[in-house]
């Protein structure tokens, strides 16, 4: 699929419904209607996540010429990433060890990396998905792809406790127009496509129908924070979070404007001759001000030279003449606003954001001068870890559905025919608390001391936090050494018990008596 733009993929071009079979036409229509209904909201969420949202000016305290100053606040990205980095898919395990076929499919599809992208997309929009299909080259390998809510739509089936059908934007032309959609149903996969002829020129829509023997859509949703009213989830970037970010952007801009006035506070001169700062060109510097008919002496208005004002401000004019009355002008300066007020307001924004998202305050760039113990700092992550654990429970079930589809495709069977192997598939996630290796090793060493039977097994090494590839190498090396030891034992027993050949004297048994030791 060619991604034309950074924040939106292709156009939502509804295909010609005449090309779609009657049995699926109504569902396809509902899918596109649902997609169009949430498209604007998803675009807004994407803009906040990408830090491309515009500042909402109240039109009171910020000068109009300064509203375009860069005042980006990347807290929406922080709210998403602080959870996604703690949700790490570590592969599939089962009751009987590993399933080599499934491990191979996960490896060729780079499933841990794909999960990272899908998890982040689900946090942004509330839902994302993976599709699992067979490769088109005739092999039994599966192809797993991820899609954000900008690229897919799904309909929830409450009776099935899952999606009833879904559709993804599978390809677009070089100029960003949709050229292929793939719709997933429990009994069929529909490929709706049109050829690309040239720039802004596309052919007619066509629809290919392929049977789906799995009995479930080859599309697995990943949902964040669902409920009965919205089973396809809520965005991590809630309306409260958006409001806080909008205010923080205004406060950042006020800090910039306040810093300018603080650096160059406004000054004044009382009683100065206006001609000191007038434009030198007399023909263009004077103008007659409007007055009443009774006013015979119209005051002249001078055009002020801004360069002269700046020179006076910078102190390059060291002397000011007396005014026409002979009085000495008075020079003064307006007090600048205290920058600490702006900092306090921004810190309040950060505190509100931390309370709304459970992101530790220190990760928002707000540090405290009060000494805090390491245990207290660690405790600030506890609410966030609980949120990640709740998310992992749902994503674990989704990844296990993906694993069963991958294994069924690899074996050329259906999910229902996998039997015990399908039921035994478990998606393993790393501990979201991210303890150090030393802390893990200490804890599992104590567990091994109380139950020595688990020491040296896969579970023991996984608990200590070793990578799967390291565990595989350790187990392979242990199996190799055990096999070599067994071979050596069999070989030694074979040499000891070998009978003497005919005509050959059997070897004398070695004496078990101690040898005599000669002495002086």
């Amino acid at each position: 699929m060619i991604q034309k733009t950074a924040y939106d993929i292709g156009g939502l071009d509804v295909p010609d419904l005449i090309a779609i079979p009657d049995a699926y036409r109504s569902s396809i229509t509902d899918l596109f209607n649902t997609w169009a209904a949430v498209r604007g909201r998803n675009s807004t969420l994407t803009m906040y996540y990408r830090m491309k949202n515009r500042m909402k000016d109240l039109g009171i305290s910020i000068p109009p010429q300064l509203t375009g100053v860069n005042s980006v606040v990347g807290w929406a990205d922080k709210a998403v990433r602080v959870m996604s980095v703690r949700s790490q898919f570590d592969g599939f395990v089962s009751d009987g060890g590993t399933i080599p076929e499934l491990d191979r499919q996960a490896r060729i599809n780079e499933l841990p990396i794909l999960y990272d992208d899908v998890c982040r997309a689900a946090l942004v929009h509330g839902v994302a998905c993976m599709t699992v299909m067979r490769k088109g080259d005739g092999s039994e390998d599966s192809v797993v792809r991820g899609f954000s809510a900008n690229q897919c739509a799904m309909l929830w089936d409450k009776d099935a406790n899952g999606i009833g059908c879904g559709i993804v934007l599978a390809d677009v032309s070089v100029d960003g127009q949709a050229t292929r959609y793939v719709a997933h149903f429990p009994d069929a996969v529909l490929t709706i496509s049109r050829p690309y002829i040239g720039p802004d020129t596309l052919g007619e829509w066509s629809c290919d129908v392929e049977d789906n023997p799995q009995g479930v859509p080859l599309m697995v949703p990943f949902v964040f924070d669902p409920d009965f009213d919205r089973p396809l989830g809520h965005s991590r970037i809630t309306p409260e979070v958006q409001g806080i970010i909008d205010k923080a952007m205004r406060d950042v801009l006020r800090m910039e404007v306040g810093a300018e006035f603080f650096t160059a506070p406004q000054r004044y001169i009382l009683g100065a001759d206006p001609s000191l700062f007038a434009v030198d060109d007399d023909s263009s510097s004077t103008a007659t001000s409007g007055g009443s008919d009774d006013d015979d002496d119209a005051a002249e208005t001078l055009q002020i030279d801004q360069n002269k004002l700046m020179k006076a401000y910078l102190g390059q004019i060291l002397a000011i003449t007396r005014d026409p009355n002979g009085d000495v002008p008075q020079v003064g300066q307006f007090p600048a606003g205290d920058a600490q007020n702006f900092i306090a307001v921004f810190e309040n924004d950060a505190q509100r954001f931390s309370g709304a998202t459970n992101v530790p305050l220190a990760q928002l760039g707000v540090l405290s001068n009060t000494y805090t113990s390491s245990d207290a700092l660690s405790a600030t992550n506890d609410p966030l870890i609980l949120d990640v654990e709740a998310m992992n429970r749902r994503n674990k079930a989704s990844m296990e559905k993906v694993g069963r589809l991958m294994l069924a495709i690899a074996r050329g069977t259906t999910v229902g025919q996998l039997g015990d192997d399908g039921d035994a598939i478990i998606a393993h996630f790393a501990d979201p608390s991210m303890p150090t290796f030393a802390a893990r090793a200490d804890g599992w060493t104590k567990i091994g001391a109380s139950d020595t039977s688990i020491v040296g097994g896969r579970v023991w090494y996984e608990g200590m936090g070793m990578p799967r590839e390291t565990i595989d190498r350790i187990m392979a090396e242990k199996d190799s050494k055990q096999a070599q030891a067994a071979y050596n034992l069999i070989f030694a027993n074979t040499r000891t018990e070998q009978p003497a050949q005919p005509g050959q004297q059997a070897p004398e048994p070695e004496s078990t008596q101690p040898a005599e030791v000669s002495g002086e």
Side-chain angles (χ1 to χ4, degrees), residues 13 80 92 139 146 160 271 273 285 293 313 359 371 426 440 455 484:
D13 299 326
V80 170
F92 294 105
S139 66
D273 187 354
S285 62
D293 295 338
Y313 184 88
V359 176
Y371 174 77
I426 301 173
R440 286 176 176 266
V455 176
Q484 184 65 35

Side-chain angles (χ1 to χ4, degrees), residues 127 138 169 217 362 432 458 473 475:
V127 65
L169 176 59
R458 295 190 67 92
R473 292 172 58 192
M475 301 307 293

Side-chain angles (χ1 to χ4, degrees), residues 55 71-73 75 241-255 345-346 349-350 352-353:
M55 188 196 69
S71 57
V72 174
V73 176
W75 288 351
V241 170
Q242 295 177 36
I244 295 173
I245 293 175
D246 291 338
K247 182 178 182 301
M249 291 179 66
R250 291 192 294 269
D251 292 338
V252 168
L253 183 54
R254 292 189 187 104
M255 291 174 65
V345 171
F346 184 76
D349 296 337
R352 290 179 57 201
F353 186 85

